[in-house]
Amino acid sequence: MPGAAETHILSAPRTLRRTARAYLSLTKPRVVELLLVVTAPTMILAEQGIPSLWLVVATLIGGSLSAGSAGAFNCYIDRDIDRLMKRTQNRPLVTGELTDRQALVFAWLVGLASILWLLAFTNWLAAALSLGAILLYVVFYTMVLKRRTAQNIVWGGIAGCMPVLIGWAAVTGDLSWPPFVLFLIIFLWTPPHYWPLSMKYRDDYQAAGVPMLAVVRGRSQVGLQVILYAWATVACSLLLVPIADMGLLYLFVALVTGAWFISETHRLYGLAIRHVEVSPMRLFHGSIAYLTMLFLAVGVDPLLPF
């Protein structure tokens, strides 16, 4: 029997606008936005100045298509557990706004478009990395890791690190040490970003049988792991100074925002071990602000004379 949300959707008349919004929802636009935030600054760092505007736009379009395809495949594969979780109950395959076939065809078409677009307007390396990102998220994370291990988000997060490699490759046609440092920053940042969300929706993941760390470990253990990864993230962000010859602005932002990020993880842990009410979404949203500020500094610093 369909739920209330599904009944409402099925009883409402379909319109082109609503259908378009449903397809857009499949791409997980908030995730796409975050990936674009790290891509453009990486391209500025690779160019050591402002790259061709068309190259930036083309890379962002290709990256959006790549991430959107991965998100759509994820919605298709995880449609069974999405029906069990309150957090995902409004996704279009749960409400019936789109059929499974429509979602799968859309995912394939958008993925193919991303690769062909990057191949046509950037270079073969960026296109190959785009394909790799899709495969990592869909196969490695969604199909292999997510339902089998509490370390799913750690290793599955590799897919979310790929935009910096794609952006760098689009500008230079190759890869060097700085983009791999940026890659590692995002890799280490992902657990302290996502695990607070899994604390918030622990019951959802438990009901769906997904072994997120918050499900298989207590809050204090999750809080401790979040602290360790946050310290590692900030330490890695400082590695970019000698490796990419970053200036004073980046160093200042990395130190100040890094100290704040670490303090927020310690706050979460302190509340968890005292067994008082915690607000994990504060750290979740704060981690996004931290990464945004850090990559804003990555993009601005090469434009300054100091």
Side-chain angles (χ1 to χ4, degrees), residues 107-180:
W108 277 105
L109 289 178
V110 174
L112 180 60
S114 74
I115 298 165
L116 294 177
W117 176 274
L118 289 170
L119 189 60
F121 297 111
T122 60
N123 54 58
W124 71 267
L125 181 56
L129 290 169
S130 174
L131 173 60
I134 295 172
L135 292 175
L136 282 168
Y137 189 74
V138 175
V139 179
F140 188 55
Y141 170 63
T142 305
M143 298 178 68
V144 176
L145 295 176
K146 185 172 182 178
R147 307 189 194 206
R148 290 178 172 85
T149 172
Q151 295 298 306
N152 49 20
I153 201 62
V154 177
W155 300 107
I158 292 175
C161 308
M162 297 297 285
V164 295
L165 300 186
I166 294 171
W168 189 280
V171 172
T172 66
D174 59 21
L175 296 173
S176 56
W177 283 113
F180 284 108

Side-chain angles (χ1 to χ4, degrees), residues 187-207:
F187 175 79
L188 294 169
W189 165 88
T190 301
H193 163 65
Y194 197 86
W195 278 338
L197 182 71
S198 71
M199 292 176 68
K200 165 84 172 171
Y201 294 103
R202 179 183 181 277
D203 292 343
D204 265 7
Y205 285 115
Q206 188 171 37

Side-chain angles (χ1 to χ4, degrees), residues 223-242:
L224 179 59
Q225 290 293 316
V226 164
I227 286 176
L228 295 175
Y229 274 98
W231 274 96
T233 302
V234 175
C236 186
S237 73
L238 298 177
L239 282 178
L240 198 63
V241 176

Side-chain angles (χ1 to χ4, degrees), residues 5 17 53 62 74 77 79 90 97 150 152 164 173 184 190 197 250 256 275-276 292 296-297 305:
R17 183 178 179 181
L53 180 59
N74 176 266
I77 295 167
R79 63 195 185 281
N90 290 322
E97 186 72 32
N152 49 20
V164 295
L184 189 57
T190 301
L197 182 71
Y250 175 82
V256 172
H275 301 289
V276 298
T292 301
L296 181 62

Side-chain angles (χ1 to χ4, degrees), residues 201-221:
Y201 294 103
R202 179 183 181 277
D203 292 343
D204 265 7
Y205 285 115
Q206 188 171 37
V210 180
M212 289 295 179
L213 189 65
V215 174
V216 301
R217 296 286 187 271
R219 292 190 309 173
S220 60
Q221 283 293 317

Side-chain angles (χ1 to χ4, degrees), residues 17-100:
R17 183 178 179 181
R18 275 186 46 219
T19 302
R21 289 175 62 183
Y23 278 114
L24 178 64
S25 175
L26 282 180
T27 68
K28 302 186 178 181
R30 290 185 179 179
V31 176
V32 173
E33 289 173 9
L34 186 59
L35 297 180
L36 298 184
V37 163
V38 303
T39 303
T42 299
M43 297 180 73
I44 296 174
L45 180 62
E47 183 70 28
Q48 286 296 301
I50 302 296
S52 159
L53 180 59
W54 166 244
L55 180 62
V56 174
V57 171
T59 305
L60 295 182
I61 290 174
S64 298
L65 292 172
S66 175
S69 171
F73 274 117
N74 176 266
C75 286
Y76 173 79
I77 295 167
D78 280 351
R79 63 195 185 281
D80 57 333
I81 61 177
D82 283 347
R83 292 187 174 96
L84 303 175
M85 299 173 61
K86 293 179 181 178
R87 185 173 72 87
T88 54
Q89 64 183 357
N90 290 322
R91 288 183 176 173
L93 294 185
V94 177
T95 62
E97 186 72 32
L98 297 173
T99 67
D100 295 349

